[in-house]
Amino acid sequence: MTRTSPAISRRRFLTLSAAATAVASSNPRTVWTQQPPPQDFLTKARANNANNKITSTPLRRNITFLGGAGGNIAVLTAKAGKLLVDSGYASCQPQLTTVLAAINAEPIRILINTHWHFDHTDGNEWMHSTGATIWAHENTRYRMTSTQHIAAFNATIPPAPTGALPTILLNTYRNLSDGTNTVKLTHYDPAHTDTDLSVYFTEADILHCGDTFWNGLYPFIDYSSGGNINGMISATEQNLATAGADTIIIPGHGPIGNKAQLTEFRDMLVGSRDNIAKLKKEGKSLDETVAAKPTAAYDEKWGKKPEAFIGYVYQGV
């Protein structure tokens, strides 16, 4: 799905320091856990998260962390308006509107999607309707314009409405700057999905990893969207190479983290992969592998019911 498209120069709210491609147009522990029939999955996920409380935590240099709307959200308030990373569930619009207004009255000018999953993109349409331009990897737009089936949840996700689609696309990286704040967008090779981006606020030293980092939680790896365990490990190594000792790290799900916690996440992924790969190589079935408790050393910290995670890893080794 990676294509090279003609580049044009744009100035919306941040000035591009590299060319951009234009295209015509909660609770973190509850996300991705419901398994209703395919036609009901998105509707029920919205309903289950509609009353979530949104937490707002100021970080550094006019950047705020918002938790509870689905995937974790970052907000940069800059000279001409707000830049948001991810949009959460559409059903959380009332709470998000209130929390964003409490930061300041400036509108949302740019919305960046870290990947296509609807707990990170479902609010795109209403944010676009208020004036936001949506940025993402080109595969994110592709997946949002077509029906997607997530086998792990037996969930069929219909195409997103036109107003929810990203219109500024990239396939490698882009740097944005308004002269005060620099934002670096970097595409990962397939990891959680084949649509993942990181967002690094360079002056603030804050890294939003999207769903390539789940802090204190076993991650969901979406093989139906091109994800795989080895890609998750590679993405974590990429994140560790970006992060320093003082970097604030925003995961896709879970609390705000740091490099030490990200390192623990990497070690858990590697240890789990190696243990599960050994059992699979010995001819163990998935049920036999689960029964062997290959993640026992990690379960207390990362999740006391590791069966689904073991299944994701088993699929990729």
Side-chain angles (χ1 to χ4, degrees), residues 30-299:
T30 66
V31 81
W32 295 112
T33 60
Q34 304 299 320
Q35 298 188 47
Q39 68 272 21
D40 294 331
F41 189 86
L42 183 53
T43 298
K44 289 192 174 183
R46 286 170 175 159
N48 288 342
N49 289 275
N51 297 316
N52 288 356
K53 180 181 178 180
I54 310 301
T55 61
S56 179
T57 306
L59 301 178
R60 293 193 286 240
R61 292 183 63 96
N62 296 325
I63 296 172
T64 303
F65 168 85
L66 304 183
N72 289 331
I73 294 172
V75 183
L76 167 66
T77 52
K79 293 177 179 178
K82 296 186 180 79
L83 179 150
L84 264 65
V85 181
D86 286 337
S87 62
Y89 284 106
S91 54
C92 292
Q93 178 180 353
Q95 302 98 299
L96 280 173
T97 299
T98 298
V99 170
L100 290 168
I103 295 173
N104 68 24
E106 296 295 334
I108 306 167
R109 295 299 189 190
I110 285 183
L111 168 63
I112 299 166
N113 291 150
T114 59
H115 62 292
W116 83 271
H117 283 156
F118 59 82
D119 55 322
H120 297 257
T121 62
D122 196 38
N124 280 18
E125 186 176 29
W126 76 261
M127 291 189 185
H128 173 70
S129 72
T130 68
T133 299
I134 305 172
W135 292 60
H137 187 264
E138 59 188 11
N139 288 353
T140 293
R141 181 182 169 95
Y142 166 75
R143 292 198 178 276
M144 290 179 69
T145 56
S146 56
T147 299
Q148 298 292 308
H149 185 74
I150 303 176
F153 301 101
N154 190 28
T156 298
I157 311 301
T162 299
L165 299 176
T167 56
I168 306 294
L169 308 182
L170 61 137
N171 59 20
T172 52
Y173 69 91
R174 293 290 184 269
N175 291 343
L176 296 79
S177 177
D178 66 352
T180 302
N181 303 284
T182 306
V183 182
K184 182 176 183 179
L185 314 182
T186 304
H187 175 51
Y188 303 95
D189 288 335
H192 172 65
T193 68
D194 62 8
T195 70
D196 303 314
L197 293 178
S198 66
V199 182
Y200 181 51
F201 301 91
T202 59
E203 290 84 5
D205 192 20
I206 295 173
L207 176 64
H208 195 310
C209 300
D211 279 6
T212 68
F213 179 33
W214 296 53
N215 194 11
L217 306 164
Y218 281 129
F220 167 50
I221 305 173
D222 187 2
Y223 284 80
S224 298
S225 297
N228 64 85
I229 178 59
N230 288 321
M232 284 289 287
I233 292 168
S234 295
T236 306
E237 295 288 1
Q238 182 176 322
N239 292 333
L240 286 168
T242 300
D246 296 324
T247 304
I248 295 172
I249 303 175
I250 300 175
H253 300 278
I256 299 165
N258 55 38
K259 190 167 186 176
Q261 292 168 320
L262 184 62
T263 301
E264 286 187 81
F265 182 69
R266 187 271 315 277
D267 293 346
M268 177 275 293
L269 292 177
V270 172
S272 297
R273 178 199 60 187
D274 292 351
N275 291 346
I276 293 166
K278 180 176 182 294
L279 292 166
K280 188 174 183 179
K281 187 176 181 179
E282 292 171 355
K284 297 287 195 297
S285 68
L286 175 57
D287 286 344
E288 290 170 330
T289 299
V290 170
K293 302 184 183 301
T295 62
Y298 310 110
D299 290 348

